[in-house]
């Protein structure tokens, strides 16, 4: 596949929530482009399996279980990348959950839990990674937000709040970290074919598809390719932005 294989040669990347779905696709694409990858997930067994699958494809990967809401575990995750591969050059804050319900039915716990995983988790990851990246004077952080954070989805007051919050986090941390040559950007995926969308009522999914100008659901690789761009030097003068990968939905 030629030169483009070398975009991340010598770089080490951590992808949270990468046992499956979009995170696994991102870990795979980054590794195919030369990165050594830490596959991390709250599902420890899933992370082990995913890392073993990548290694079986001749790619460089290790598994490190981590719940992104656990401050000490996130600090240890960043350190584990540095000790396994000698650096931490790329962090993708991808771990996520949904707890959809309309407000009368949503518990405070469901609201807080979603904020905690997406927003607090991304903040903890950013802080831990930046501690290492600032000494290297190099780093790229990619936050996986959602088009739900731009448009506001019915039944997702928790999720849309968390995903919009991640845009504020992206911009504020991009501003703080630029002087250390650390770039921070976000991706807002539209509907992507994963377990998360498989769990949606079919008629709700169809309604979404009807509103995608490009006329199809997204694939995890569509997000992974955008993450590769933001993680690599192809985007070396880009920081604080949000890339919508949504087939034109909510443009
Ligand atoms: P997914 O298939 O459910 O994968 C998410 C992964 O994150 C799972 O392996 C999950 O583990 C893990 N996770 C959950 N809580 C965690 C925690 N506290 N710490 C570490 N890992 C945790 O979902 P996906 O569709 O690939 O979504 C990935 C990201 O893209 C999420 O941030 C999501 O919000 C975002 N996104 C997805 C879509 C879409 O259409 N799919 C659209 C826009 C944005 P368990 O399975 O054990 O919970």
């Amino acid at each position: 596949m030629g030169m483009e294989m070398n975009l991340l040669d010598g770089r080490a990347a951590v992808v949270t929530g990468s046992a499956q779905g979009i995170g696994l696709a991102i870990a795979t694409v980054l590794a195919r482009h030369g990165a050594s990858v830490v596959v991390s997930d709250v599902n420890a067994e899933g992370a082990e399996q995913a890392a073993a699958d990548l290694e079986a494809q001749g790619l460089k990967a290790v598994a490190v279980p981590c719940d992104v809401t656990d401050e000490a575990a996130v600090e240890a995750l960043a350190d584990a990348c540095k000790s396994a591969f000698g650096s931490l050059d790329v962090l993708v804050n991808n771990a996520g959950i949904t707890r959809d319900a309309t407000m009368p039915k949503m518990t405070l716990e469901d609201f807080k839990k979603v904020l905690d995983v997406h927003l607090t988790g991304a903040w903890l990851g950013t802080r831990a990674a930046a501690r290492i990246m600032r000494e290297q004077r190099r780093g790229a952080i990619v936050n996986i937000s959602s088009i739900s954070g731009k448009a506001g989805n019915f039944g997702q007051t928790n999720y849309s709040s968390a995903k919009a919050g991640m845009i504020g986090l992206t911009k504020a941390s991009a501003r703080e970290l630029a002087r250390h040559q650390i770039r921070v950007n976000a991706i807002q995926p539209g509907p992507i074919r994963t377990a998360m969308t498989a769990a949606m009522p079919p008629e709700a999914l169809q309604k979404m598809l009807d509103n995608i100008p490009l006329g199809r659901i997204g694939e995890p690789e569509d997000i992974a390719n955008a993450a590769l761009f933001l993680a690599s030097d192809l985007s070396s003068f880009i920081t604080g932005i949000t890339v919508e990968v949504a087939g034109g939905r909510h443009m």
Side-chain angles (χ1 to χ4, degrees), residues 16-23 41-43 66-69 94-97 113 117-118 144-147 159 163 189-192 194-197:
T16 67
S18 55
Q20 63 181 50
I22 291 170
D41 206 283
V42 69
N43 171 3
C66 174
D67 178 340
V68 297
T69 66
N94 166 80
I97 57 167
K113 180 69 185 168
V117 174
H118 294 273
I144 307 300
S145 172
S146 168
I147 209 77
Y159 186 77
K163 291 308 203 182
I192 306 298
T194 67
M196 201 174 266
T197 44

PDB file of all heavy atoms in Angstrom, residues 16-23 41-43 66-69 94-97 113 117-118 144-147 159 163 189-192 194-197, ligand 1:
ATOM      1  N   THR A  16      -9.058   4.616  23.732  1.00  0.00           N
ATOM      2  CA  THR A  16      -9.937   4.129  24.811  1.00  0.00           C
ATOM      3  C   THR A  16     -11.187   3.494  24.202  1.00  0.00           C
ATOM      4  O   THR A  16     -11.616   3.862  23.101  1.00  0.00           O
ATOM      5  CB  THR A  16     -10.341   5.263  25.781  1.00  0.00           C
ATOM      6  OG1 THR A  16     -11.179   6.213  25.093  1.00  0.00           O
ATOM      7  CG2 THR A  16      -9.113   5.979  26.342  1.00  0.00           C
ATOM      8  N   GLY A  17     -11.748   2.539  24.902  1.00  0.00           N
ATOM      9  CA  GLY A  17     -12.963   1.865  24.429  1.00  0.00           C
ATOM     10  C   GLY A  17     -12.746   1.171  23.097  1.00  0.00           C
ATOM     11  O   GLY A  17     -13.635   1.178  22.236  1.00  0.00           O
ATOM     12  N   SER A  18     -11.583   0.533  22.920  1.00  0.00           N
ATOM     13  CA  SER A  18     -11.241   0.008  21.588  1.00  0.00           C
ATOM     14  C   SER A  18     -11.334  -1.512  21.474  1.00  0.00           C
ATOM     15  O   SER A  18     -10.767  -2.105  20.576  1.00  0.00           O
ATOM     16  CB  SER A  18      -9.862   0.499  21.149  1.00  0.00           C
ATOM     17  OG  SER A  18      -8.878   0.188  22.110  1.00  0.00           O
ATOM     18  N   ALA A  19     -12.099  -2.152  22.358  1.00  0.00           N
ATOM     19  CA  ALA A  19     -12.317  -3.600  22.230  1.00  0.00           C
ATOM     20  C   ALA A  19     -13.199  -3.935  21.037  1.00  0.00           C
ATOM     21  O   ALA A  19     -13.157  -5.050  20.526  1.00  0.00           O
ATOM     22  CB  ALA A  19     -12.948  -4.147  23.513  1.00  0.00           C
ATOM     23  N   GLN A  20     -13.988  -2.965  20.594  1.00  0.00           N
ATOM     24  CA  GLN A  20     -14.959  -3.222  19.511  1.00  0.00           C
ATOM     25  C   GLN A  20     -15.318  -1.903  18.829  1.00  0.00           C
ATOM     26  O   GLN A  20     -14.845  -0.842  19.221  1.00  0.00           O
ATOM     27  CB  GLN A  20     -16.224  -3.846  20.096  1.00  0.00           C
ATOM     28  CG  GLN A  20     -16.948  -2.921  21.076  1.00  0.00           C
ATOM     29  CD  GLN A  20     -18.200  -3.534  21.683  1.00  0.00           C
ATOM     30  OE1 GLN A  20     -18.162  -4.640  22.184  1.00  0.00           O
ATOM     31  NE2 GLN A  20     -19.300  -2.802  21.626  1.00  0.00           N
ATOM     32  N   GLY A  21     -16.150  -2.020  17.789  1.00  0.00           N
ATOM     33  CA  GLY A  21     -16.779  -0.842  17.183  1.00  0.00           C
ATOM     34  C   GLY A  21     -15.797   0.163  16.594  1.00  0.00           C
ATOM     35  O   GLY A  21     -14.779  -0.204  16.004  1.00  0.00           O
ATOM     36  N   ILE A  22     -16.137   1.435  16.764  1.00  0.00           N
ATOM     37  CA  ILE A  22     -15.343   2.522  16.184  1.00  0.00           C
ATOM     38  C   ILE A  22     -13.923   2.525  16.760  1.00  0.00           C
ATOM     39  O   ILE A  22     -12.947   2.713  16.037  1.00  0.00           O
ATOM     40  CB  ILE A  22     -16.056   3.873  16.434  1.00  0.00           C
ATOM     41  CG1 ILE A  22     -17.346   3.946  15.605  1.00  0.00           C
ATOM     42  CG2 ILE A  22     -15.133   5.042  16.104  1.00  0.00           C
ATOM     43  CD1 ILE A  22     -18.252   5.133  15.949  1.00  0.00           C
ATOM     44  N   GLY A  23     -13.805   2.298  18.066  1.00  0.00           N
ATOM     45  CA  GLY A  23     -12.482   2.295  18.710  1.00  0.00           C
ATOM     46  C   GLY A  23     -11.571   1.233  18.123  1.00  0.00           C
ATOM     47  O   GLY A  23     -10.388   1.494  17.864  1.00  0.00           O
ATOM     48  N   ASP A  41      -9.844  -0.825  27.186  1.00  0.00           N
ATOM     49  CA  ASP A  41     -11.300  -0.897  27.324  1.00  0.00           C
ATOM     50  C   ASP A  41     -11.646  -1.284  28.759  1.00  0.00           C
ATOM     51  O   ASP A  41     -10.843  -1.913  29.453  1.00  0.00           O
ATOM     52  CB  ASP A  41     -11.884  -1.942  26.361  1.00  0.00           C
ATOM     53  CG  ASP A  41     -13.340  -1.652  25.984  1.00  0.00           C
ATOM     54  OD1 ASP A  41     -14.227  -1.914  26.819  1.00  0.00           O
ATOM     55  OD2 ASP A  41     -13.579  -1.144  24.864  1.00  0.00           O
ATOM     56  N   VAL A  42     -12.849  -0.932  29.179  1.00  0.00           N
ATOM     57  CA  VAL A  42     -13.342  -1.383  30.479  1.00  0.00           C
ATOM     58  C   VAL A  42     -13.584  -2.894  30.421  1.00  0.00           C
ATOM     59  O   VAL A  42     -13.493  -3.593  31.437  1.00  0.00           O
ATOM     60  CB  VAL A  42     -14.625  -0.600  30.884  1.00  0.00           C
ATOM     61  CG1 VAL A  42     -15.801  -0.961  29.993  1.00  0.00           C
ATOM     62  CG2 VAL A  42     -14.969  -0.817  32.346  1.00  0.00           C
ATOM     63  N   ASN A  43     -13.876  -3.392  29.228  1.00  0.00           N
ATOM     64  CA  ASN A  43     -14.011  -4.825  28.971  1.00  0.00           C
ATOM     65  C   ASN A  43     -12.609  -5.403  28.733  1.00  0.00           C
ATOM     66  O   ASN A  43     -12.091  -5.383  27.621  1.00  0.00           O
ATOM     67  CB  ASN A  43     -14.931  -5.009  27.752  1.00  0.00           C
ATOM     68  CG  ASN A  43     -14.978  -6.437  27.237  1.00  0.00           C
ATOM     69  OD1 ASN A  43     -14.362  -7.345  27.806  1.00  0.00           O
ATOM     70  ND2 ASN A  43     -15.705  -6.629  26.147  1.00  0.00           N
ATOM     71  N   CYS A  66      -8.875  -0.463  31.132  1.00  0.00           N
ATOM     72  CA  CYS A  66      -9.019   0.836  31.812  1.00  0.00           C
ATOM     73  C   CYS A  66     -10.448   1.322  31.739  1.00  0.00           C
ATOM     74  O   CYS A  66     -11.033   1.384  30.666  1.00  0.00           O
ATOM     75  CB  CYS A  66      -8.090   1.868  31.163  1.00  0.00           C
ATOM     76  SG  CYS A  66      -8.310   3.537  31.799  1.00  0.00           S
ATOM     77  N   ASP A  67     -10.991   1.673  32.887  1.00  0.00           N
ATOM     78  CA  ASP A  67     -12.265   2.389  32.969  1.00  0.00           C
ATOM     79  C   ASP A  67     -11.919   3.879  32.949  1.00  0.00           C
ATOM     80  O   ASP A  67     -11.243   4.369  33.862  1.00  0.00           O
ATOM     81  CB  ASP A  67     -12.973   1.997  34.274  1.00  0.00           C
ATOM     82  CG  ASP A  67     -14.290   2.745  34.468  1.00  0.00           C
ATOM     83  OD1 ASP A  67     -14.496   3.808  33.844  1.00  0.00           O
ATOM     84  OD2 ASP A  67     -15.106   2.266  35.279  1.00  0.00           O
ATOM     85  N   VAL A  68     -12.369   4.583  31.918  1.00  0.00           N
ATOM     86  CA  VAL A  68     -11.953   5.985  31.746  1.00  0.00           C
ATOM     87  C   VAL A  68     -12.488   6.919  32.834  1.00  0.00           C
ATOM     88  O   VAL A  68     -12.065   8.068  32.909  1.00  0.00           O
ATOM     89  CB  VAL A  68     -12.329   6.543  30.354  1.00  0.00           C
ATOM     90  CG1 VAL A  68     -11.610   5.792  29.246  1.00  0.00           C
ATOM     91  CG2 VAL A  68     -13.841   6.553  30.141  1.00  0.00           C
ATOM     92  N   THR A  69     -13.403   6.442  33.655  1.00  0.00           N
ATOM     93  CA  THR A  69     -13.891   7.284  34.758  1.00  0.00           C
ATOM     94  C   THR A  69     -13.042   7.136  36.015  1.00  0.00           C
ATOM     95  O   THR A  69     -13.285   7.819  37.014  1.00  0.00           O
ATOM     96  CB  THR A  69     -15.358   6.949  35.115  1.00  0.00           C
ATOM     97  OG1 THR A  69     -15.430   5.619  35.646  1.00  0.00           O
ATOM     98  CG2 THR A  69     -16.255   7.052  33.901  1.00  0.00           C
ATOM     99  N   ASN A  94     -12.302   7.745  22.945  1.00  0.00           N
ATOM    100  CA  ASN A  94     -13.397   7.127  22.188  1.00  0.00           C
ATOM    101  C   ASN A  94     -14.426   6.415  23.063  1.00  0.00           C
ATOM    102  O   ASN A  94     -15.561   6.238  22.640  1.00  0.00           O
ATOM    103  CB  ASN A  94     -12.802   6.141  21.175  1.00  0.00           C
ATOM    104  CG  ASN A  94     -13.848   5.219  20.580  1.00  0.00           C
ATOM    105  OD1 ASN A  94     -14.578   5.598  19.661  1.00  0.00           O
ATOM    106  ND2 ASN A  94     -13.942   4.001  21.115  1.00  0.00           N
ATOM    107  N   ALA A  95     -14.043   6.007  24.270  1.00  0.00           N
ATOM    108  CA  ALA A  95     -14.939   5.196  25.107  1.00  0.00           C
ATOM    109  C   ALA A  95     -16.281   5.883  25.265  1.00  0.00           C
ATOM    110  O   ALA A  95     -16.356   7.097  25.453  1.00  0.00           O
ATOM    111  CB  ALA A  95     -14.319   4.969  26.487  1.00  0.00           C
ATOM    112  N   GLY A  96     -17.362   5.097  25.185  1.00  0.00           N
ATOM    113  CA  GLY A  96     -18.668   5.726  25.310  1.00  0.00           C
ATOM    114  C   GLY A  96     -19.776   4.746  25.607  1.00  0.00           C
ATOM    115  O   GLY A  96     -19.640   3.545  25.387  1.00  0.00           O
ATOM    116  N   ILE A  97     -20.861   5.295  26.125  1.00  0.00           N
ATOM    117  CA  ILE A  97     -22.070   4.515  26.417  1.00  0.00           C
ATOM    118  C   ILE A  97     -23.275   5.377  26.069  1.00  0.00           C
ATOM    119  O   ILE A  97     -23.153   6.588  25.933  1.00  0.00           O
ATOM    120  CB  ILE A  97     -22.176   4.137  27.918  1.00  0.00           C
ATOM    121  CG1 ILE A  97     -22.145   5.393  28.807  1.00  0.00           C
ATOM    122  CG2 ILE A  97     -21.056   3.178  28.314  1.00  0.00           C
ATOM    123  CD1 ILE A  97     -22.559   5.139  30.252  1.00  0.00           C
ATOM    124  N   LYS A 113     -23.965   9.387  34.665  1.00  0.00           N
ATOM    125  CA  LYS A 113     -23.090   8.298  34.187  1.00  0.00           C
ATOM    126  C   LYS A 113     -22.591   8.599  32.765  1.00  0.00           C
ATOM    127  O   LYS A 113     -21.416   8.405  32.448  1.00  0.00           O
ATOM    128  CB  LYS A 113     -23.863   6.970  34.236  1.00  0.00           C
ATOM    129  CG  LYS A 113     -23.078   5.755  33.773  1.00  0.00           C
ATOM    130  CD  LYS A 113     -21.956   5.398  34.734  1.00  0.00           C
ATOM    131  CE  LYS A 113     -21.115   4.251  34.182  1.00  0.00           C
ATOM    132  NZ  LYS A 113     -19.860   4.058  34.918  1.00  0.00           N
ATOM    133  N   VAL A 117     -18.616   9.177  31.693  1.00  0.00           N
ATOM    134  CA  VAL A 117     -17.823   8.355  30.762  1.00  0.00           C
ATOM    135  C   VAL A 117     -17.281   9.214  29.617  1.00  0.00           C
ATOM    136  O   VAL A 117     -16.076   9.197  29.332  1.00  0.00           O
ATOM    137  CB  VAL A 117     -18.647   7.168  30.210  1.00  0.00           C
ATOM    138  CG1 VAL A 117     -17.861   6.426  29.135  1.00  0.00           C
ATOM    139  CG2 VAL A 117     -19.045   6.218  31.344  1.00  0.00           C
ATOM    140  N   HIS A 118     -18.134   9.986  28.968  1.00  0.00           N
ATOM    141  CA  HIS A 118     -17.693  10.732  27.779  1.00  0.00           C
ATOM    142  C   HIS A 118     -16.845  11.944  28.148  1.00  0.00           C
ATOM    143  O   HIS A 118     -15.740  12.109  27.645  1.00  0.00           O
ATOM    144  CB  HIS A 118     -18.901  11.208  26.968  1.00  0.00           C
ATOM    145  CG  HIS A 118     -19.693  10.096  26.364  1.00  0.00           C
ATOM    146  ND1 HIS A 118     -19.386   9.544  25.141  1.00  0.00           N
ATOM    147  CD2 HIS A 118     -20.776   9.418  26.818  1.00  0.00           C
ATOM    148  CE1 HIS A 118     -20.249   8.572  24.870  1.00  0.00           C
ATOM    149  NE2 HIS A 118     -21.099   8.478  25.865  1.00  0.00           N
ATOM    150  N   ILE A 144     -13.665  11.743  20.299  1.00  0.00           N
ATOM    151  CA  ILE A 144     -14.804  11.268  19.516  1.00  0.00           C
ATOM    152  C   ILE A 144     -16.093  11.797  20.152  1.00  0.00           C
ATOM    153  O   ILE A 144     -16.585  11.260  21.147  1.00  0.00           O
ATOM    154  CB  ILE A 144     -14.834   9.723  19.405  1.00  0.00           C
ATOM    155  CG1 ILE A 144     -13.479   9.198  18.885  1.00  0.00           C
ATOM    156  CG2 ILE A 144     -15.984   9.295  18.484  1.00  0.00           C
ATOM    157  CD1 ILE A 144     -13.041   9.705  17.520  1.00  0.00           C
ATOM    158  N   SER A 145     -16.585  12.888  19.572  1.00  0.00           N
ATOM    159  CA  SER A 145     -17.851  13.499  19.984  1.00  0.00           C
ATOM    160  C   SER A 145     -18.963  12.827  19.181  1.00  0.00           C
ATOM    161  O   SER A 145     -18.880  11.626  18.883  1.00  0.00           O
ATOM    162  CB  SER A 145     -17.764  15.009  19.737  1.00  0.00           C
ATOM    163  OG  SER A 145     -19.000  15.652  19.926  1.00  0.00           O
ATOM    164  N   SER A 146     -19.987  13.549  18.811  1.00  0.00           N
ATOM    165  CA  SER A 146     -21.072  12.993  17.994  1.00  0.00           C
ATOM    166  C   SER A 146     -21.848  14.142  17.389  1.00  0.00           C
ATOM    167  O   SER A 146     -21.934  15.227  17.971  1.00  0.00           O
ATOM    168  CB  SER A 146     -22.019  12.156  18.853  1.00  0.00           C
ATOM    169  OG  SER A 146     -23.198  11.854  18.120  1.00  0.00           O
ATOM    170  N   ILE A 147     -22.444  13.882  16.237  1.00  0.00           N
ATOM    171  CA  ILE A 147     -23.314  14.869  15.620  1.00  0.00           C
ATOM    172  C   ILE A 147     -24.505  15.168  16.556  1.00  0.00           C
ATOM    173  O   ILE A 147     -25.091  16.240  16.499  1.00  0.00           O
ATOM    174  CB  ILE A 147     -23.743  14.375  14.209  1.00  0.00           C
ATOM    175  CG1 ILE A 147     -24.006  15.531  13.280  1.00  0.00           C
ATOM    176  CG2 ILE A 147     -24.883  13.392  14.267  1.00  0.00           C
ATOM    177  CD1 ILE A 147     -22.769  16.186  12.727  1.00  0.00           C
ATOM    178  N   TYR A 159     -26.580  12.339  26.584  1.00  0.00           N
ATOM    179  CA  TYR A 159     -25.559  12.083  25.555  1.00  0.00           C
ATOM    180  C   TYR A 159     -25.228  13.360  24.752  1.00  0.00           C
ATOM    181  O   TYR A 159     -24.056  13.670  24.524  1.00  0.00           O
ATOM    182  CB  TYR A 159     -26.086  10.984  24.636  1.00  0.00           C
ATOM    183  CG  TYR A 159     -25.142  10.463  23.591  1.00  0.00           C
ATOM    184  CD1 TYR A 159     -24.127   9.569  23.926  1.00  0.00           C
ATOM    185  CD2 TYR A 159     -25.288  10.831  22.252  1.00  0.00           C
ATOM    186  CE1 TYR A 159     -23.277   9.056  22.944  1.00  0.00           C
ATOM    187  CE2 TYR A 159     -24.445  10.320  21.277  1.00  0.00           C
ATOM    188  CZ  TYR A 159     -23.446   9.429  21.627  1.00  0.00           C
ATOM    189  OH  TYR A 159     -22.614   8.927  20.656  1.00  0.00           O
ATOM    190  N   LYS A 163     -21.621  15.142  24.588  1.00  0.00           N
ATOM    191  CA  LYS A 163     -20.908  15.252  23.306  1.00  0.00           C
ATOM    192  C   LYS A 163     -20.656  16.712  22.930  1.00  0.00           C
ATOM    193  O   LYS A 163     -19.650  17.027  22.295  1.00  0.00           O
ATOM    194  CB  LYS A 163     -21.680  14.518  22.208  1.00  0.00           C
ATOM    195  CG  LYS A 163     -21.687  12.988  22.370  1.00  0.00           C
ATOM    196  CD  LYS A 163     -20.280  12.425  22.556  1.00  0.00           C
ATOM    197  CE  LYS A 163     -20.160  10.957  22.173  1.00  0.00           C
ATOM    198  NZ  LYS A 163     -18.792  10.431  22.415  1.00  0.00           N
ATOM    199  N   PRO A 189     -19.102  11.919  14.569  1.00  0.00           N
ATOM    200  CA  PRO A 189     -19.681  10.927  13.666  1.00  0.00           C
ATOM    201  C   PRO A 189     -21.201  11.075  13.596  1.00  0.00           C
ATOM    202  O   PRO A 189     -21.843  11.416  14.586  1.00  0.00           O
ATOM    203  CB  PRO A 189     -19.331   9.579  14.317  1.00  0.00           C
ATOM    204  CG  PRO A 189     -18.298   9.881  15.367  1.00  0.00           C
ATOM    205  CD  PRO A 189     -18.551  11.296  15.788  1.00  0.00           C
ATOM    206  N   GLY A 190     -21.740  10.779  12.429  1.00  0.00           N
ATOM    207  CA  GLY A 190     -23.185  10.540  12.302  1.00  0.00           C
ATOM    208  C   GLY A 190     -23.433   9.086  12.656  1.00  0.00           C
ATOM    209  O   GLY A 190     -22.589   8.437  13.268  1.00  0.00           O
ATOM    210  N   PRO A 191     -24.591   8.539  12.262  1.00  0.00           N
ATOM    211  CA  PRO A 191     -24.871   7.133  12.570  1.00  0.00           C
ATOM    212  C   PRO A 191     -23.859   6.198  11.899  1.00  0.00           C
ATOM    213  O   PRO A 191     -23.643   6.281  10.698  1.00  0.00           O
ATOM    214  CB  PRO A 191     -26.272   6.908  11.979  1.00  0.00           C
ATOM    215  CG  PRO A 191     -26.837   8.265  11.736  1.00  0.00           C
ATOM    216  CD  PRO A 191     -25.694   9.196  11.549  1.00  0.00           C
ATOM    217  N   ILE A 192     -23.248   5.334  12.709  1.00  0.00           N
ATOM    218  CA  ILE A 192     -22.209   4.410  12.231  1.00  0.00           C
ATOM    219  C   ILE A 192     -22.657   2.984  12.565  1.00  0.00           C
ATOM    220  O   ILE A 192     -23.262   2.752  13.618  1.00  0.00           O
ATOM    221  CB  ILE A 192     -20.861   4.701  12.938  1.00  0.00           C
ATOM    222  CG1 ILE A 192     -20.448   6.173  12.787  1.00  0.00           C
ATOM    223  CG2 ILE A 192     -19.763   3.772  12.429  1.00  0.00           C
ATOM    224  CD1 ILE A 192     -20.209   6.656  11.377  1.00  0.00           C
ATOM    225  N   THR A 194     -22.466   0.041  14.248  1.00  0.00           N
ATOM    226  CA  THR A 194     -21.816  -0.596  15.407  1.00  0.00           C
ATOM    227  C   THR A 194     -22.908  -1.131  16.333  1.00  0.00           C
ATOM    228  O   THR A 194     -24.099  -0.959  16.058  1.00  0.00           O
ATOM    229  CB  THR A 194     -20.984   0.407  16.236  1.00  0.00           C
ATOM    230  OG1 THR A 194     -21.874   1.339  16.852  1.00  0.00           O
ATOM    231  CG2 THR A 194     -19.958   1.156  15.409  1.00  0.00           C
ATOM    232  N   ALA A 195     -22.469  -1.728  17.445  1.00  0.00           N
ATOM    233  CA  ALA A 195     -23.411  -2.234  18.450  1.00  0.00           C
ATOM    234  C   ALA A 195     -24.331  -1.125  18.949  1.00  0.00           C
ATOM    235  O   ALA A 195     -25.499  -1.356  19.264  1.00  0.00           O
ATOM    236  CB  ALA A 195     -22.635  -2.844  19.621  1.00  0.00           C
ATOM    237  N   MET A 196     -23.784   0.113  19.011  1.00  0.00           N
ATOM    238  CA  MET A 196     -24.561   1.238  19.536  1.00  0.00           C
ATOM    239  C   MET A 196     -25.788   1.525  18.665  1.00  0.00           C
ATOM    240  O   MET A 196     -26.873   1.777  19.174  1.00  0.00           O
ATOM    241  CB  MET A 196     -23.663   2.468  19.642  1.00  0.00           C
ATOM    242  CG  MET A 196     -24.150   3.520  20.603  1.00  0.00           C
ATOM    243  SD  MET A 196     -22.965   4.875  20.809  1.00  0.00           S
ATOM    244  CE  MET A 196     -22.070   4.347  22.239  1.00  0.00           C
ATOM    245  N   THR A 197     -25.616   1.480  17.332  1.00  0.00           N
ATOM    246  CA  THR A 197     -26.758   1.740  16.447  1.00  0.00           C
ATOM    247  C   THR A 197     -27.616   0.487  16.267  1.00  0.00           C
ATOM    248  O   THR A 197     -28.820   0.595  16.048  1.00  0.00           O
ATOM    249  CB  THR A 197     -26.296   2.263  15.064  1.00  0.00           C
ATOM    250  OG1 THR A 197     -25.187   1.481  14.620  1.00  0.00           O
ATOM    251  CG2 THR A 197     -25.896   3.709  15.132  1.00  0.00           C
TER     252      THR A 197
HETATM  253  P1  LIG B   1     -19.500   0.511  21.188  1.00  0.00           P
HETATM  254  O1  LIG B   1     -19.460  -0.495  20.080  1.00  0.00           O
HETATM  255  O2  LIG B   1     -20.500   0.353  22.271  1.00  0.00           O
HETATM  256  O3  LIG B   1     -18.028   0.601  21.805  1.00  0.00           O
HETATM  257  C1  LIG B   1     -17.733   1.415  22.918  1.00  0.00           C
HETATM  258  C2  LIG B   1     -16.678   0.732  23.746  1.00  0.00           C
HETATM  259  O4  LIG B   1     -16.386   1.564  24.887  1.00  0.00           O
HETATM  260  C3  LIG B   1     -17.160  -0.610  24.291  1.00  0.00           C
HETATM  261  O5  LIG B   1     -16.146  -1.580  24.146  1.00  0.00           O
HETATM  262  C4  LIG B   1     -17.428  -0.294  25.762  1.00  0.00           C
HETATM  263  O6  LIG B   1     -17.271  -1.405  26.611  1.00  0.00           O
HETATM  264  C5  LIG B   1     -16.370   0.739  26.040  1.00  0.00           C
HETATM  265  N1  LIG B   1     -16.632   1.481  27.261  1.00  0.00           N
HETATM  266  C6  LIG B   1     -17.820   1.784  27.840  1.00  0.00           C
HETATM  267  N2  LIG B   1     -17.648   2.437  29.000  1.00  0.00           N
HETATM  268  C7  LIG B   1     -16.313   2.541  29.181  1.00  0.00           C
HETATM  269  C8  LIG B   1     -15.501   3.074  30.215  1.00  0.00           C
HETATM  270  N3  LIG B   1     -16.035   3.654  31.307  1.00  0.00           N
HETATM  271  N4  LIG B   1     -14.149   2.999  30.086  1.00  0.00           N
HETATM  272  C9  LIG B   1     -13.598   2.413  29.009  1.00  0.00           C
HETATM  273  N5  LIG B   1     -14.306   1.873  28.013  1.00  0.00           N
HETATM  274  C10 LIG B   1     -15.655   1.925  28.096  1.00  0.00           C
HETATM  275  O7  LIG B   1     -19.741   1.972  20.610  1.00  0.00           O
HETATM  276  P2  LIG B   1     -19.248   2.681  19.256  1.00  0.00           P
HETATM  277  O8  LIG B   1     -20.449   2.858  18.407  1.00  0.00           O
HETATM  278  O9  LIG B   1     -18.038   2.049  18.709  1.00  0.00           O
HETATM  279  O10 LIG B   1     -18.887   4.122  19.849  1.00  0.00           O
HETATM  280  C11 LIG B   1     -17.565   4.602  20.040  1.00  0.00           C
HETATM  281  C12 LIG B   1     -17.613   6.106  20.248  1.00  0.00           C
HETATM  282  O11 LIG B   1     -18.194   6.737  19.101  1.00  0.00           O
HETATM  283  C13 LIG B   1     -18.463   6.521  21.457  1.00  0.00           C
HETATM  284  O12 LIG B   1     -17.861   7.631  22.104  1.00  0.00           O
HETATM  285  C14 LIG B   1     -19.762   6.949  20.800  1.00  0.00           C
HETATM  286  O13 LIG B   1     -20.472   7.846  21.591  1.00  0.00           O
HETATM  287  C15 LIG B   1     -19.256   7.572  19.518  1.00  0.00           C
HETATM  288  N6  LIG B   1     -20.267   7.661  18.460  1.00  0.00           N
HETATM  289  C16 LIG B   1     -20.846   6.545  17.933  1.00  0.00           C
HETATM  290  C17 LIG B   1     -21.788   6.679  16.920  1.00  0.00           C
HETATM  291  C18 LIG B   1     -22.462   5.489  16.291  1.00  0.00           C
HETATM  292  O14 LIG B   1     -23.361   5.678  15.474  1.00  0.00           O
HETATM  293  N7  LIG B   1     -22.087   4.269  16.602  1.00  0.00           N
HETATM  294  C19 LIG B   1     -22.151   7.940  16.455  1.00  0.00           C
HETATM  295  C20 LIG B   1     -21.540   9.059  17.018  1.00  0.00           C
HETATM  296  C21 LIG B   1     -20.597   8.903  18.004  1.00  0.00           C
HETATM  297  P3  LIG B   1     -18.611  -2.233  27.027  1.00  0.00           P
HETATM  298  O15 LIG B   1     -19.155  -2.800  25.760  1.00  0.00           O
HETATM  299  O16 LIG B   1     -18.097  -3.263  27.981  1.00  0.00           O
HETATM  300  O17 LIG B   1     -19.536  -1.223  27.652  1.00  0.00           O
END
